[in-house]
Amino acid sequence: MSTLKVNKLQKTVSGAATFTLPTADGTVGQMMKTDGSGQLGWATDGGKVLQVVYSSLTSTVSTASTSFIDTGLTATITPASASNKVLVFLNTMLSSAAGGLVIVNILRASTSIISNTSGGQTDTDDAWGAGGGSTATGNDRITDNPSLVYLDSPASTSATIYKMQLKVDSSTGYVNQWGLNTGKGGVSTLCLMEIAV
């Protein structure tokens, strides 16, 4: 068996581009990619879903706290590259026992990934609100089934934890249950997808 050893490739045509090969092998599933100036390197296919992590919460969580508590809904992902993105999907069921605002937060480690410019409490908390409402009473205390899709940039190759938090501005807030009837429940899910860049 013969071995061909080169560090550059060039067409025989005059003026053709010269390509410099990488000095080490890539990882499984990578392809060779040029930087636009003749340097070849290993890269993943941009936009490709590299991995999916899924978690669910089936039990009821309730709180009367005006500070965020952990709901127990978490998922951990370890990105293959610090330049890759994580697409976060959260679906949940929320309600309030007596019309209070239920506020949800999504953390990456200890950092909130949500921000809005409503000018209200959810803006201040870097969170999002659902459920209840100060004038809701009796059967008007509706349940909400909000969902969040967010493209995050963790900039890390370490194991990264995402988690859902909950608080209220008053009364008691619930996850996976209608505040007036334990027979009306739900399941909350958290899904993480690593997207190659």
Side-chain angles (χ1 to χ4, degrees), residues 30-81:
Q30 287 188 312
M31 61 181 181
M32 199 167 288
K33 187 176 182 180
T34 180
D35 66 356
S37 60
Q39 180 69 48
L40 299 178
W42 298 105
T44 52
D45 189 6
K48 181 179 180 182
V49 177
L50 301 182
Q51 60 173 315
V52 177
V53 178
Y54 172 86
S55 180
S56 64
L57 177 69
T58 60
S59 59
T60 297
V61 177
S62 64
T63 185
S65 175
T66 55
S67 298
F68 283 113
I69 66 160
D70 292 343
T71 62
L73 182 56
T74 68
T76 301
I77 193 167
T78 304
S81 169

Coordinates of all heavy atoms in Angstrom, one line a residue, residues 30-81:
Q30 N -17.9 15.4 10.5 CA -17.5 16.7 10.0 C -17.1 16.6 8.6 O -16.9 15.6 8.0 CB -16.3 17.2 10.8 CG -16.6 17.6 12.2 CD -15.4 18.3 12.9 OE1 -14.3 17.8 12.9 NE2 -15.7 19.4 13.5
M31 N -17.1 17.8 7.9 CA -16.7 17.9 6.5 C -15.6 18.9 6.4 O -15.4 19.7 7.3 CB -17.9 18.3 5.7 CG -18.5 19.7 6.1 SD -19.9 20.1 5.1 CE -20.3 21.8 5.8
M32 N -14.9 18.9 5.3 CA -13.9 19.9 5.0 C -14.5 21.2 4.5 O -15.3 21.2 3.6 CB -12.8 19.3 4.1 CG -11.5 20.1 4.2 SD -10.2 19.2 3.4 CE -9.9 17.8 4.5
K33 N -14.0 22.3 5.0 CA -14.6 23.6 4.7 C -13.5 24.6 4.5 O -12.5 24.7 5.3 CB -15.6 24.0 5.8 CG -16.4 25.3 5.5 CD -17.3 25.5 6.6 CE -18.2 26.7 6.4 NZ -19.2 27.0 7.5
T34 N -13.6 25.5 3.5 CA -12.6 26.5 3.2 C -13.0 27.8 4.0 O -14.1 28.1 4.2 CB -12.5 26.8 1.7 OG1 -11.5 27.8 1.6 CG2 -13.8 27.3 1.1
D35 N -11.9 28.5 4.3 CA -12.2 29.8 5.0 C -12.2 31.0 4.0 O -12.3 32.1 4.3 CB -11.1 30.1 6.0 CG -9.7 30.3 5.4 OD1 -9.5 30.1 4.2 OD2 -8.8 30.6 6.2
G36 N -12.2 30.6 2.7 CA -12.3 31.6 1.6 C -10.9 32.1 1.1 O -10.9 32.9 0.2
S37 N -9.9 31.7 1.8 CA -8.5 32.1 1.4 C -7.6 30.9 1.2 O -6.4 31.1 1.2 CB -7.9 33.1 2.4 OG -7.8 32.5 3.7
G38 N -8.2 29.8 1.0 CA -7.4 28.6 0.6 C -7.1 27.7 1.8 O -6.5 26.6 1.6
Q39 N -7.4 28.1 3.0 CA -7.1 27.2 4.2 C -8.3 26.3 4.4 O -9.5 26.8 4.6 CB -6.9 28.1 5.4 CG -6.6 27.3 6.7 CD -5.3 26.6 6.7 OE1 -4.3 27.2 6.3 NE2 -5.3 25.3 7.0
L40 N -8.1 25.0 4.4 CA -9.2 24.1 4.6 C -9.2 23.6 6.1 O -8.1 23.5 6.7 CB -9.0 22.8 3.7 CG -9.0 23.1 2.2 CD1 -8.8 21.8 1.4 CD2 -10.3 23.7 1.8
G41 N -10.3 23.4 6.6 CA -10.5 23.0 8.0 C -11.7 22.1 8.2 O -12.5 22.0 7.2
W42 N -11.8 21.5 9.4 CA -13.0 20.7 9.6 C -14.1 21.5 10.2 O -13.9 22.3 11.1 CB -12.6 19.5 10.6 CG -11.5 18.7 10.0 CD1 -10.2 18.6 10.3 CD2 -11.7 17.7 8.9 NE1 -9.5 17.7 9.6 CE2 -10.4 17.1 8.7 CE3 -12.8 17.3 8.2 CZ2 -10.2 16.1 7.7 CZ3 -12.6 16.3 7.2 CH2 -11.3 15.7 7.0
A43 N -15.4 21.2 9.8 CA -16.5 21.9 10.3 C -17.7 21.0 10.2 O -17.8 20.0 9.4 CB -16.7 23.2 9.5
T44 N -18.7 21.3 11.0 CA -20.0 20.6 11.0 C -20.9 21.3 9.9 O -20.6 22.5 9.5 CB -20.7 20.7 12.3 OG1 -20.8 22.0 12.8 CG2 -20.0 19.8 13.3
D45 N -21.9 20.7 9.5 CA -22.8 21.2 8.5 C -23.7 22.3 9.1 O -24.5 21.9 10.0 CB -23.6 20.1 7.9 CG -24.4 20.5 6.7 OD1 -24.3 21.7 6.2 OD2 -25.3 19.7 6.2
G46 N -23.5 23.5 8.8 CA -24.3 24.6 9.4 C -25.8 24.4 9.3 O -26.3 24.1 8.2
G47 N -26.5 24.7 10.4 CA -28.0 24.5 10.4 C -28.4 23.1 10.7 O -29.6 22.9 10.9
K48 N -27.5 22.2 10.8 CA -27.9 20.8 11.1 C -28.2 20.6 12.6 O -27.5 21.1 13.4 CB -26.7 19.9 10.6 CG -27.0 18.4 10.8 CD -25.8 17.6 10.3 CE -26.0 16.1 10.5 NZ -24.8 15.4 10.0
V49 N -29.2 19.8 12.9 CA -29.5 19.5 14.3 C -28.5 18.3 14.7 O -28.5 17.2 14.1 CB -30.9 19.0 14.5 CG1 -31.2 18.6 15.9 CG2 -31.9 20.1 14.1
L50 N -27.7 18.6 15.7 CA -26.6 17.7 16.1 C -27.1 16.8 17.2 O -26.7 15.6 17.3 CB -25.4 18.4 16.6 CG -24.7 19.4 15.5 CD1 -23.5 20.0 16.1 CD2 -24.4 18.6 14.3
Q51 N -28.0 17.3 18.1 CA -28.5 16.4 19.2 C -29.8 17.1 19.7 O -30.0 18.3 19.6 CB -27.5 16.3 20.3 CG -27.0 17.6 20.9 CD -26.1 17.4 22.1 OE1 -26.4 16.5 23.0 NE2 -25.0 18.1 22.2
V52 N -30.6 16.2 20.3 CA -31.8 16.6 20.9 C -31.9 16.1 22.3 O -31.6 14.9 22.6 CB -33.1 16.1 20.1 CG1 -34.4 16.5 20.8 CG2 -33.0 16.6 18.7
V53 N -32.2 17.0 23.3 CA -32.4 16.6 24.7 C -33.8 16.9 25.1 O -34.3 18.1 24.8 CB -31.4 17.3 25.6 CG1 -31.6 16.9 27.1 CG2 -29.9 17.0 25.2
Y54 N -34.5 16.0 25.7 CA -35.9 16.2 26.1 C -36.2 15.9 27.6 O -35.6 15.0 28.1 CB -36.8 15.3 25.2 CG -38.2 15.3 25.6 CD1 -39.1 16.2 25.1 CD2 -38.7 14.3 26.4 CE1 -40.5 16.2 25.4 CE2 -40.1 14.3 26.8 CZ -41.0 15.2 26.3 OH -42.3 15.2 26.6
S55 N -37.0 16.7 28.2 CA -37.4 16.5 29.6 C -38.8 16.8 29.8 O -39.4 17.7 29.1 CB -36.5 17.3 30.5 OG -36.8 17.1 31.9
S56 N -39.5 16.2 30.7 CA -40.9 16.5 31.0 C -41.2 16.6 32.5 O -40.4 16.0 33.3 CB -41.8 15.4 30.4 OG -41.6 14.2 31.0
L57 N -42.2 17.3 32.8 CA -42.7 17.4 34.2 C -44.1 17.0 34.3 O -45.0 17.7 33.6 CB -42.5 18.9 34.7 CG -43.0 19.2 36.1 CD1 -42.1 18.5 37.2 CD2 -43.0 20.7 36.4
T58 N -44.5 16.0 35.0 CA -45.8 15.5 35.0 C -46.6 15.8 36.3 O -47.8 15.8 36.4 CB -45.9 14.0 34.8 OG1 -45.1 13.4 35.9 CG2 -45.2 13.6 33.5
S59 N -45.8 16.2 37.3 CA -46.4 16.5 38.6 C -46.9 18.0 38.7 O -46.4 18.8 37.9 CB -45.5 16.2 39.8 OG -44.3 17.0 39.6
T60 N -47.7 18.3 39.7 CA -48.1 19.7 39.9 C -47.1 20.4 40.8 O -46.6 19.8 41.7 CB -49.5 19.7 40.6 OG1 -50.5 19.1 39.8 CG2 -49.9 21.1 40.9
V61 N -46.8 21.6 40.4 CA -46.0 22.5 41.2 C -46.7 23.7 41.5 O -47.4 24.3 40.6 CB -44.7 22.9 40.4 CG1 -43.8 23.8 41.3 CG2 -43.9 21.6 40.1
S62 N -46.7 24.1 42.8 CA -47.4 25.4 43.2 C -46.5 26.2 44.0 O -45.6 25.7 44.7 CB -48.7 25.0 43.9 OG -48.4 24.4 45.2
T63 N -46.8 27.5 44.0 CA -46.0 28.4 44.8 C -46.8 29.7 45.1 O -47.6 30.1 44.3 CB -44.7 28.8 44.1 OG1 -43.9 29.6 45.0 CG2 -44.9 29.6 42.9
A64 N -46.6 30.3 46.3 CA -47.1 31.6 46.6 C -45.9 32.6 46.8 O -46.1 33.7 47.3 CB -47.9 31.5 47.9
S65 N -44.8 32.2 46.3 CA -43.6 33.0 46.4 C -43.5 34.1 45.4 O -43.9 33.9 44.2 CB -42.3 32.1 46.3 OG -41.1 32.9 46.3
T66 N -43.1 35.3 45.8 CA -42.9 36.4 44.9 C -41.5 36.4 44.4 O -41.1 37.4 43.7 CB -43.3 37.7 45.6 OG1 -42.5 37.9 46.8 CG2 -44.8 37.8 45.9
S67 N -40.7 35.4 44.7 CA -39.3 35.2 44.2 C -39.3 33.9 43.4 O -40.1 33.0 43.8 CB -38.3 35.1 45.3 OG -38.2 36.3 46.1
F68 N -38.5 33.8 42.4 CA -38.5 32.6 41.6 C -38.1 31.4 42.3 O -37.2 31.4 43.1 CB -37.5 32.8 40.4 CG -38.1 33.7 39.3 CD1 -37.5 34.9 39.0 CD2 -39.2 33.3 38.5 CE1 -38.0 35.7 38.0 CE2 -39.7 34.1 37.5 CZ -39.1 35.3 37.3
I69 N -38.8 30.3 42.1 CA -38.5 29.0 42.6 C -38.2 28.0 41.4 O -38.7 28.3 40.3 CB -39.6 28.4 43.5 CG1 -40.8 28.1 42.6 CG2 -39.9 29.3 44.6 CD1 -41.8 27.1 43.3
D70 N -37.4 27.0 41.6 CA -37.2 26.0 40.6 C -38.5 25.1 40.5 O -39.0 24.6 41.6 CB -36.0 25.1 40.9 CG -34.7 25.9 40.7 OD1 -34.7 27.0 40.1 OD2 -33.7 25.5 41.2
T71 N -38.9 24.8 39.3 CA -40.1 23.9 39.2 C -39.7 22.4 39.1 O -40.6 21.5 39.2 CB -40.9 24.2 37.9 OG1 -40.0 24.0 36.8 CG2 -41.3 25.7 37.9
G72 N -38.4 22.1 38.9 CA -38.0 20.8 38.7 C -37.9 20.4 37.2 O -37.4 19.3 36.9
L73 N -38.4 21.2 36.3 CA -38.2 20.9 34.9 C -36.9 21.5 34.4 O -36.7 22.7 34.3 CB -39.4 21.6 34.1 CG -39.4 21.4 32.6 CD1 -39.5 19.9 32.3 CD2 -40.6 22.1 32.0
T74 N -36.0 20.5 34.1 CA -34.6 20.9 33.7 C -34.2 20.0 32.5 O -34.7 18.9 32.4 CB -33.6 20.7 34.8 OG1 -33.5 19.4 35.1 CG2 -34.0 21.5 36.0
A75 N -33.2 20.4 31.8 CA -32.6 19.6 30.7 C -31.2 20.1 30.6 O -30.9 21.3 30.7 CB -33.3 19.7 29.4
T76 N -30.3 19.1 30.3 CA -28.8 19.4 30.2 C -28.3 19.0 28.9 O -28.6 17.9 28.4 CB -28.0 18.7 31.3 OG1 -28.5 19.0 32.6 CG2 -26.6 19.0 31.2
I77 N -27.6 19.9 28.2 CA -27.0 19.7 26.9 C -25.5 20.0 26.9 O -25.1 21.0 27.6 CB -27.8 20.4 25.8 CG1 -27.4 19.9 24.4 CG2 -27.6 21.9 25.9 CD1 -28.4 20.4 23.3
T78 N -24.7 19.3 26.2 CA -23.3 19.6 26.1 C -23.0 19.9 24.6 O -22.9 18.9 23.8 CB -22.4 18.4 26.6 OG1 -22.8 18.1 27.9 CG2 -20.9 18.7 26.5
P79 N -22.9 21.1 24.2 CA -22.7 21.5 22.8 C -21.3 21.0 22.3 O -20.3 20.9 23.1 CB -22.7 23.0 22.8 CG -23.5 23.4 24.1 CD -23.1 22.3 25.1
A80 N -21.3 20.6 21.0 CA -20.1 20.1 20.4 C -19.1 21.2 20.1 O -17.9 21.0 20.0 CB -20.4 19.3 19.2
S81 N -19.6 22.4 19.9 CA -18.8 23.6 19.6 C -19.4 24.8 20.3 O -20.6 25.0 20.4 CB -18.8 23.8 18.1 OG -18.2 25.1 17.7

